[in-house]
Amino acid sequence: MKPIFVALIAFLMYFSACGQNKQNANSKKKMEFPIKKTDDEWKKSLNEEQYRVLRLKGTERAFTGKFYKHKDKGIYVCAGCGNELFKSETKFESGTGWPSYYDVIPNAVVLETDYSYGMVRTEVMCAKCGGHLGHVFDDGPKPTGLRYCINSVSLDFKKK
Ligand SMILES: [Zn+2]
């Protein structure tokens, strides 16, 4: 009986340690951004889909967004606050169904490790309002090798 008891204790300790880690990861998410609005204020200034993606870290369905095929020259800005994020020159056809860029305007975004859905990904957030934009992967084209995979609904466009 004794070894089983020890195993049970080890098992419980393992799981409580996991719980601890998860808590730390969550508390780390509370970052400070220059633009601060309450949930109600965001709900008023965004449409339902924008709120779901930008504020609740949702994802639009692939191939449905307004910018995945968009080819005009200009600047893609944050739909939440107007912060300039991506230049049209860095946009490329990734085949994923989401607008994709190989580079970002300096200091426009902040990155954070995202452990949701059993995956480890790097989340891309607007540096001014903290809005969720998408994720960045390291399978992009030259010169950076990065692929910023961004929700159209998180973006607006300023034509040049
Ligand atoms: Zn923003």
Side-chain angles (χ1 to χ4, degrees):
M1 280 307 271
K2 213 173 178 187
I4 290 172
F5 184 67
V6 171
L8 184 66
I9 295 287
F11 183 78
L12 288 174
M13 279 174 68
Y14 175 77
F15 274 94
S16 59
C18 274
Q20 202 70 44
N21 286 342
K22 204 167 185 181
Q23 224 166 33
N24 288 344
N26 285 343
S27 61
K28 219 183 82 191
K29 290 239 173 219
K30 290 199 176 78
M31 293 174 75
E32 293 278 317
F33 295 96
I35 296 174
K36 291 183 180 63
K37 288 189 189 185
T38 64
D39 246 16
D40 274 351
E41 287 170 329
W42 281 121
K43 273 181 193 164
K44 276 175 200 153
S45 63
L46 301 172
N47 68 37
E48 212 173 297
E49 180 71 350
Q50 286 172 331
Y51 178 81
R52 188 182 71 81
V53 175
L54 282 164
R55 307 314 307 177
L56 303 180
K57 303 185 189 296
T59 302
E60 75 191 6
R61 278 199 301 134
F63 304 102
T64 64
K66 59 184 169 180
F67 291 132
Y68 88 93
K69 277 183 173 170
H70 193 249
K71 289 197 169 77
D72 290 356
K73 282 196 169 33
I75 305 267
Y76 292 86
V77 302
C78 174
C81 72
N83 185 21
E84 296 190 348
L85 304 170
F86 301 98
K87 293 178 183 167
S88 56
E89 297 93 293
T90 65
K91 192 172 188 290
F92 69 99
E93 184 47 65
S94 65
T96 59
W98 289 282
S100 302
Y101 309 84
Y102 63 75
D103 207 359
V104 65
I105 292 172
N107 305 317
V109 302
V110 289
L111 304 178
E112 184 156 45
T113 309
D114 170 10
Y115 297 97
S116 64
Y117 302 104
M119 293 179 272
V120 181
R121 295 178 295 172
T122 304
E123 182 189 355
V124 182
M125 284 177 283
C126 171
K128 280 197 180 157
C129 73
H132 172 79
L133 305 172
H135 293 89
V136 59
F137 302 91
D138 59 6
D139 57 6
K142 284 178 181 174
T144 62
L146 297 173
R147 170 170 61 92
Y148 288 86
C149 185
I150 305 299
N151 293 286
S152 297
V153 72
S154 300
L155 301 171
D156 255 327
F157 186 70
K158 283 203 301 197
K159 211 169 174 163
K160 252 182 203 166

